Amino acid sequence: MKTSDATQTVSAASYIPNLHGVLLERLYEYHQRPDIHPSAAIIPPYYERVELMTGGRGWINDNGAWREVLPGDLIWNKPGQRTIGRSDFKNPYRCLAATIVTPQSHGMGVPRFSQVADIEAVVLFTHEVIALFRDDTFDRDALTEYVLARLLFWVRMNEHRVQKPELPPAIDESIKWMEKHYAEPCSIGEMAKRAGWSAAHFHEAFRQAVGTTPHKMLARYRLRAARDCLVSTSHPVKRIATDCGFADASALIHAFKADTGLTPSAYRKRYMRLELDRPS
């Protein structure tokens, strides 16, 4: 079935890719060189390229606009689309790159953009499947099934997580603002004023539409940014707290531990241990 970018908005149950005849041609972790942008590749017919961000920061062309991609972002590029085309010079991106050959010239219809919340799971999965891909004695068909099943599971989990009724324009704009300006000081009153509502009405309308409060939504974006900084930089926790919008290091530590069960320092140590254990 021929699809377009509109498949990004379909429900998870509306597409079930036919994996018969699908081949996992190449699998590796790509490390972009610092101080230079990558050369974006155009995906040819019968091919798809999955890029699962494992670290750093990059951008990909999405219908003429550059879209930022961070650790945990899963990009499923179909024929005619381009791979990641820009990188942060000081914090170059890394990703698990999977080249897939399919019987369909136009692609399998998987949504292009998804997000995996568990960065540690992404790192572990990357190390695991690369080691298996390099092992010539391991059954390649079984590996293909495993890799695609795990990636598609994450895609469907993302669809399940974000599937919700259309948001009121004021709420939608507030969320988009938080996503870009999470590091800036922001109160409920300021967000309500931007929406043209009272603080009480904005808070209740946001909670009913999104299922959480504006404060908790803003905290999610700040924690996501903090996780990225912890695994991609050597900045002290105090600086990361400031850069990500927290009042101080104590506020970051409290929020981070409540979200992950770990302190920021412990989270960073666990990630570094995973990197040291990575197969050569």
Side-chain angles (χ1 to χ4, degrees):
M1 179 177 68
K2 189 171 183 177
T3 59
S4 66
D5 286 342
T7 50
Q8 295 175 33
T9 61
V10 300
S11 67
S14 65
Y15 68 91
I16 303 177
N18 181 1
L19 301 183
H20 178 72
V22 175
L23 170 68
L24 182 64
E25 183 178 86
R26 193 178 182 197
L27 190 70
Y28 63 101
E29 187 174 21
Y30 177 82
H31 286 239
Q32 175 59 29
R33 290 167 49 197
D35 301 317
I36 190 173
H37 288 306
S39 297
I42 302 177
I43 310 303
Y46 299 102
Y47 280 80
E48 301 193 24
R49 173 76 61 81
V50 179
E51 297 173 292
L52 176 58
M53 290 284 290
T54 58
R57 183 180 181 218
W59 290 266
I60 192 166
N61 192 292
D62 178 25
N63 292 323
W66 287 105
R67 175 173 178 151
E68 183 182 38
V69 287
L70 297 169
D73 284 332
L74 194 163
I75 307 105
W76 202 297
N77 298 300
K78 299 184 287 293
Q81 295 175 332
R82 293 177 180 268
T83 57
I84 296 172
R86 290 185 180 177
S87 180
D88 188 322
F89 283 5
K90 302 305 179 185
N91 184 22
Y93 77 93
R94 305 186 300 278
C95 71
L96 174 67
T99 300
I100 303 167
V101 185
T102 77
Q104 297 88 17
S105 63
H106 50 268
M108 295 187 290
V110 179
R112 191 181 187 192
F113 296 105
S114 303
Q115 213 277 327
V116 185
D118 190 343
I119 307 300
E120 288 187 29
V122 168
V123 174
L124 285 170
F125 172 74
T126 297
H127 296 173
E128 176 190 28
V129 296
I130 288 176
L132 290 173
F133 190 79
R134 291 172 176 170
D135 184 354
D136 293 334
T137 65
F138 193 84
D139 185 84
R140 188 53 53 87
D141 289 337
L143 178 60
T144 298
E145 291 178 5
Y146 172 62
V147 170
L148 292 178
R150 188 71 178 274
L151 293 173
L152 288 169
F153 174 79
W154 276 328
V155 170
R156 295 187 180 207
M157 283 291 292
N158 181 78
E159 290 285 326
H160 175 75
R161 185 169 58 249
V162 304
Q163 195 174 38
K164 54 185 178 294
E166 186 176 350
L167 297 175
I171 302 297
D172 188 48
E173 287 301 316
S174 297
I175 293 174
K176 290 177 180 177
W177 186 91
M178 289 184 209
E179 188 174 7
K180 293 181 179 179
H181 303 279
Y182 57 82
E184 300 177 16
C186 184
S187 67
I188 299 299
E190 290 170 339
M191 284 191 280
K193 185 178 180 180
R194 189 178 292 106
W197 294 345
S198 69
H201 177 62
F202 176 78
H203 185 278
E204 182 59 21
F206 193 102
R207 186 187 65 78
Q208 289 189 7
V210 183
T212 189
T213 66
H215 175 77
K216 290 181 179 178
M217 177 66 74
L218 183 60
R220 288 181 188 174
Y221 289 119
R222 288 174 172 171
L223 284 167
R224 178 184 173 186
R227 286 196 299 268
D228 179 40
C229 288
L230 285 166
V231 303
S232 63
T233 75
S234 58
H235 297 159
V237 172
K238 182 177 180 180
R239 174 176 171 179
I240 291 175
T242 302
D243 290 347
C244 297
F246 292 92
D248 51 35
S250 296
L252 170 59
I253 293 170
H254 177 77
F256 203 92
K257 194 168 184 179
D259 183 63
T260 68
L262 298 170
T263 65
S265 297
Y267 184 88
R268 172 179 270 167
K269 287 179 181 178
R270 177 178 290 188
Y271 180 87
M272 293 306 297
R273 187 163 61 249
L274 290 172
E275 286 290 290
L276 290 173
D277 293 341
R278 176 183 172 187
S280 58

